[in-house]
């Protein structure tokens, strides 16, 4: 990695390196509850709605106790609609409430509430993991990519997971554009944050120019805690 690339990666991570799970308050671990919470978040991202609203909706659902597939399945449809409404998740609240209930039942019936069994069913094949994720109501390619991008820190077979949008941003920033090349830029545990940062940068107006601006002629973009993501529609977040 060149010095310029090192500087670019540092500034990129400082400015945009927050994962969706972190933003939604999910303490992501390879255990059933946080994996399910990540799945719920991916369901919420799959409609054309602002990303901050999708994150707020996840927080409302979790705050209302719907943090496991059993709790989600036991909740009433109206409880789910009300939680989504408190986050201003409009237009899609009723259909999403139905999808969340149906998805919880699928996770319970097929995987006994544990998405690690989905991983086992895929037998180490990342494409098969994506196929099985897309069987969950409302999860399509966008949602499956987000899940894999966030889960790659825990499930090695998903590494490196950088979608087309992330690779486009990497090329514009003068970074390697292949997943393997990008994976060499950071430690393994930082891969989800790098992937998220690239997507956020690609969606943020003027981010590439700002990140490439010489540091001696501009202020640093950020220090310490990554800033909140820009707010494009959630369907564009993959």
């Amino acid at each position: 990695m060149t010095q310029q690339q090192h500087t670019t990666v540092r500034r990129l991570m400082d400015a945009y390196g927050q994962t969706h799970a972190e933003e939604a308050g999910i303490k992501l671990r390879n255990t059933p509850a946080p994996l399910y919470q990540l799945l719920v978040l991916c369901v919420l991202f799959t409609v054309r709605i602002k990303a901050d609203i999708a994150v707020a909706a996840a927080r409302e659902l979790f705050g209302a106790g719907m943090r496991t597939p059993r709790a989600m399945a036991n909740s009433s449809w109206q409880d789910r609609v009300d939680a989504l409404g408190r986050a201003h998740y409009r237009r899609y609240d009723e259909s999403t409430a139905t999808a969340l209930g149906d998805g919880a039942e699928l996770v319970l019936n097929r995987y006994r509430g544990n998405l690690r069994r989905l991983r086992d069913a895929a037998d180490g094949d990342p494409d098969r993991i994506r196929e099985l994720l897309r069987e969950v109501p409302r999860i399509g390619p966008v949602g499956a990519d987000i899940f894999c991008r966030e889960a790659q820190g825990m499930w090695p077979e998903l590494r490196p997971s950088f979608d087309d949008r992330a690779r486009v941003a990497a090329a514009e920033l003068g970074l390697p554009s292949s997943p393997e090349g990008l994976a060499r830029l950071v430690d393994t545990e930082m891969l989800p944050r790098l992937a998220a940062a690239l997507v956020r940068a690609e969606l943020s107006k003027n981010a590439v120019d700002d990140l490439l601006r010489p540091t001696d002629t501009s202020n640093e973009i950020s220090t310490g805690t990554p800033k909140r993501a820009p707010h494009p529609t959630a369907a564009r977040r993959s």
Side-chain angles (χ1 to χ4, degrees):
M1 178 165 49
T2 67
Q3 182 60 43
Q4 179 59 52
Q5 288 176 331
H6 175 81
T7 299
T8 298
V9 170
R10 176 177 57 80
R11 300 180 75 192
L12 173 70
M13 297 288 276
D14 282 349
Y16 299 104
Q18 185 180 42
T19 67
H20 293 314
E22 290 169 338
E23 193 175 7
I26 301 170
K27 297 180 179 179
L28 199 54
R29 302 184 302 276
N30 191 29
T31 54
L35 287 172
Y36 175 70
Q37 291 161 24
L38 175 60
L39 185 72
V40 169
L41 185 60
C42 293
V43 169
L44 297 170
F45 273 134
T46 56
V47 300
R48 295 191 65 82
I49 199 163
K50 288 184 177 181
D52 60 333
I53 293 178
V55 168
R59 286 182 171 272
E60 287 290 344
L61 289 164
F62 303 153
M66 293 173 244
R67 295 183 293 270
T68 67
R70 176 61 64 192
M72 186 70 76
N74 287 344
S75 67
S76 71
W77 178 83
Q78 190 62 54
D79 286 341
R80 298 191 292 273
V81 169
D82 290 346
L84 295 170
R86 288 193 295 272
H88 307 288
Y89 196 94
R90 306 299 187 193
R91 295 177 56 197
Y92 305 100
D93 52 350
E94 295 185 357
S95 62
T96 300
T98 299
L100 288 169
D102 292 345
E105 293 289 353
L106 182 147
V107 172
L108 287 168
N109 294 334
R110 189 172 300 178
Y111 305 114
R112 288 178 284 168
N114 187 348
L115 288 173
R116 292 178 297 187
R117 292 192 173 94
L118 179 151
R119 180 190 183 193
D120 293 341
D123 197 26
D125 183 349
D127 290 335
R128 182 60 177 156
I129 288 176
R130 286 177 167 84
E131 289 175 5
L132 293 174
L133 287 169
R134 290 198 296 269
E135 293 178 1
V136 176
R138 191 62 73 79
I139 294 286
V142 168
D145 280 345
I146 293 173
F147 186 97
C148 293
R149 197 166 69 213
E150 301 264 330
Q152 66 178 313
M154 302 173 298
W155 294 1
E157 64 270 32
L158 295 177
R159 302 173 195 153
S161 186
F162 293 91
D163 61 19
D164 290 344
R165 200 179 290 277
R167 295 197 294 272
V168 166
E172 292 174 345
L173 289 167
L175 301 175
S177 57
S178 70
E180 294 76 17
L182 287 167
R184 289 192 288 270
L185 298 177
V186 296
D187 294 335
T188 299
E189 64 270 18
M190 298 299 290
L191 286 174
R193 290 184 178 181
L194 177 59
L198 287 166
V199 172
R200 293 183 192 279
E202 203 278 332
L203 292 169
S204 180
K205 185 178 180 181
N206 299 325
V208 170
D209 290 341
D210 289 343
L211 289 164
L212 293 178
R213 186 177 297 130
T215 56
D216 60 347
T217 60
S218 66
N219 293 326
E220 285 295 326
I221 295 174
S222 172
T223 57
T225 304
K227 71 178 183 180
R228 288 177 62 87
H231 299 147
T233 55
R236 297 181 59 222
R237 293 294 294 274
S238 70

